[in-house]
């Protein structure tokens, strides 16, 4: 008698872009009142960032609109994550790509783009923060002189459209609504695009946008900051992809608090996250005890911490810039411990009531 062995369907893809999406959720903290803080781990995308979602969407839309021809060139000013996403699209679809960058960007992001064949054009940042305004000027000149496509992530609506899938994933994987969504704001695409789609799908989500202290997106005083990939420096015109109608609350977080949160998460979970994710986690951990019982709060973790081993995870680098604060580290560890203790106390109370 012949035995037929049932085998699962093969799961093999032929391009890296097919691996975009379906990133996991990790519970970081929970309270005795039943509320929980989850991390949407976007570093599990190809290139280690959520930005690959919108980079793909901007390029596909340009192809559909006839703005990008076979063998064409793309140019974009970037701090790195959008750059690696566009580099992936260029590799797969046969385009040349020029990234306009500065020394404020993570060196590993720059190395990654070089490894993928990207032409890097450097703009001086003077070591005091991102040179966003000057990078845009240079990108515009390159586009005009060469005929390259400049997707312009700050103004391109397909940036926001790239996060439709992220919103659907959240509702699918949770099986319930997202009560609070926390995310860093730079171009605005990640948070605003996700929130817009969540609300279109019927979500009652409350959104909290986070930017570095020194950024001017929410109207604060301009200043120096070391967080990369979020915020906007003084003199920069914030684009329409930052839709304030979709951001219920806008908060600023300083570099020390952002980097401390990322480092403490690494020590407590073994998961390395980027500095802007640290800013969101800082806000969420402080807010978790104050939200309604049994609520779900999600932080969008935009990229992986392995890109910052020589910066925010390097004690000497932090100390040289007066960004290392042992007291802040101890304070955040105590907050984690307090949440764990609240679960224990709640279980003891429930047992006593039931006895």
């Amino acid at each position: 008698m012949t035995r037929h062995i049932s085998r699962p369907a093969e799961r093999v893809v032929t391009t890296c872009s097919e691996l975009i999406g379906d990133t996991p959720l990790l519970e970081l903290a929970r309270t005795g009142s039943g509320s929980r803080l989850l991390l949407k781990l976007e570093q599990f995308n190809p290139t280690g960032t959520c930005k690959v979602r919108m980079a793909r969407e901007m390029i596909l839309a340009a192809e559909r609109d006839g703005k990008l021809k076979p063998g064409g060139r793309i140019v974009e000013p970037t701090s790195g994550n959008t750059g690696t996403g566009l580099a992936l699209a260029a590799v797969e679809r046969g385009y040349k790509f020029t990234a306009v960058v500065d020394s404020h960007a993570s060196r590993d992001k720059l190395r990654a783009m070089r490894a993928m064949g990207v032409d890097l054009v450097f703009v001086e940042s003077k070591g005091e923060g991102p040179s966003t305004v000057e990078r845009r000027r240079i990108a515009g000149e390159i586009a005009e002189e060469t005929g390259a496509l400049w997707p312009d992530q700050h103004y391109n609506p397909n940036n926001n459209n790239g996060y439709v899938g992220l919103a659907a994933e959240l509702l699918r994987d949770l099986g319930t609504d997202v009560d609070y969504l926390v995310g860093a704001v730079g171009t605005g695409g990640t948070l605003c695009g996700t929130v817009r789609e969540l609300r279109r799908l019927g979500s009652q989500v409350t959104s909290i946008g986070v930017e570095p202290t020194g950024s001017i997106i929410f109207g604060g005083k301009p200043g120096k900051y070391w967080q990369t990939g979020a915020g906007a420096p003084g003199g920069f015109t914030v684009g329409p992809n930052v839709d304030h109608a979709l951001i219920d609350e806008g908060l600023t977080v300083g570099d020390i608090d952002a980097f401390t949160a990322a480092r403490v998460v690494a020590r407590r979970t073994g998961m390395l996250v980027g500095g802007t994710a640290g800013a969101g986690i800082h806000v969420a951990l402080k807010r978790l005890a104050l939200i309604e019982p049994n609520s779900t709060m999600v932080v969008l973790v935009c990229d992986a911490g392995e890109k910052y081993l020589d910066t925010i995870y390097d004690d000497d680098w932090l100390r040289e810039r007066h960004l290392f604060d042992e007291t802040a580290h101890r304070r955040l560890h105590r907050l984690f411990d307090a949440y764990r203790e609240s679960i224990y106390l709640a279980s003891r109370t429930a047992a006593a009531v039931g006895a």
Side-chain angles (χ1 to χ4, degrees):
M1 181 177 178
T2 303
R3 296 180 64 187
H4 295 281
I5 300 174
S6 177
R7 293 185 174 87
E10 185 176 81
R11 297 182 62 189
V12 178
V13 300
T14 57
T15 63
C16 281
S17 61
E18 294 174 80
L19 300 172
I20 297 172
D22 291 321
T23 55
L25 285 164
L26 171 70
E27 182 175 295
L28 180 64
R30 181 183 286 265
T31 70
S33 67
S35 293
R36 56 184 178 163
L37 169 55
L38 309 180
L39 305 182
K40 178 64 166 167
L41 299 175
E42 285 290 286
Q43 68 262 52
F44 285 95
N45 281 306
T47 72
T49 170
C50 67
K51 295 296 186 73
V52 71
R53 293 181 187 259
M54 65 85 150
R56 175 181 60 177
E57 186 62 29
M58 290 194 301
I59 295 307
L60 292 177
E63 291 177 349
R64 291 192 299 266
D65 296 341
K67 296 178 180 178
L68 189 55
K69 306 296 184 182
R73 179 173 290 277
I74 304 162
V75 62
E76 182 73 24
T78 173
S79 62
N81 281 333
T82 298
T84 55
L86 288 170
L88 176 60
V91 167
E92 288 188 350
R93 308 182 77 81
Y95 302 118
K96 304 176 186 69
F97 174 39
T98 298
V100 184
V101 300
D102 62 31
S103 58
H104 191 70
S106 157
R107 283 181 285 181
D108 280 336
K109 293 178 187 177
L110 300 176
R111 292 175 184 134
M113 285 190 283
R114 278 203 183 101
M116 299 167 77
V118 177
D119 297 325
L120 299 183
V121 174
F122 279 86
V123 172
E124 180 56 52
S125 68
K126 300 181 181 179
E128 296 186 350
S131 59
T132 311
V133 176
E134 182 65 7
R135 281 189 279 128
R136 287 183 60 81
R137 186 185 71 78
I138 297 297
E141 287 183 354
I142 293 172
E144 185 175 351
E145 292 170 3
T146 67
L149 170 75
W150 178 11
D152 198 353
Q153 58 181 319
H154 288 274
Y155 287 82
N156 192 323
N158 293 295
N159 175 347
N160 299 46
N161 293 341
Y163 297 99
V164 167
L166 198 162
E169 290 169 28
L170 287 172
L171 296 180
R172 179 199 67 196
D173 293 344
L174 287 171
T176 184
D177 201 0
V178 181
D179 298 302
Y180 295 88
L181 186 67
V182 183
V185 178
T187 67
T190 308
L191 182 64
C192 295
T194 303
V195 170
R196 184 184 65 190
E197 180 64 9
L198 282 172
R199 290 178 177 166
R200 190 190 72 81
L201 294 172
S203 172
Q204 299 299 308
V205 64
T206 295
S207 60
I208 302 174
V210 181
E211 67 172 340
T213 301
S215 167
I216 51 85
I217 292 175
F218 299 135
K221 182 180 178 181
K224 180 171 65 175
Y225 56 89
W226 289 97
Q227 296 169 61
T228 65
F236 180 74
T237 301
V238 179
N241 286 339
V242 177
D243 187 345
H244 291 276
L246 294 170
I247 303 173
D248 296 309
E249 187 175 3
L251 301 174
T252 61
V253 174
D255 292 333
I256 291 175
D257 285 332
F259 299 160
T260 296
R263 290 162 58 92
V264 170
V265 166
R267 291 296 180 94
R268 299 192 75 103
T269 70
M271 183 73 63
L272 275 66
V273 303
T276 59
I281 291 167
H282 171 81
V283 165
L285 284 170
K286 291 177 63 178
R287 187 63 58 88
L288 186 61
L290 306 176
I291 62 177
E292 301 83 354
N294 301 309
S295 295
T296 295
M297 177 177 284
V298 177
V299 175
L300 297 174
V301 176
C302 290
D303 71 343
E306 286 84 353
K307 303 172 184 179
Y308 310 99
L309 293 176
D310 58 357
T311 56
I312 69 175
Y313 290 100
D314 185 291
D315 292 1
D316 293 335
W317 185 90
L318 291 175
R319 287 193 173 100
E320 287 171 4
R321 291 155 182 80
H322 307 290
L323 299 174
F324 188 87
D325 188 332
E326 292 182 358
T327 301
H329 283 70
R330 290 195 295 269
R331 186 164 56 241
L332 203 57
H333 277 294
R334 287 197 299 269
L335 184 55
F336 272 104
D337 292 339
Y339 283 136
R340 184 176 296 175
E341 180 69 13
S342 75
I343 297 171
Y344 171 73
L345 292 175
S347 65
R348 289 286 302 271
T349 299
V353 171

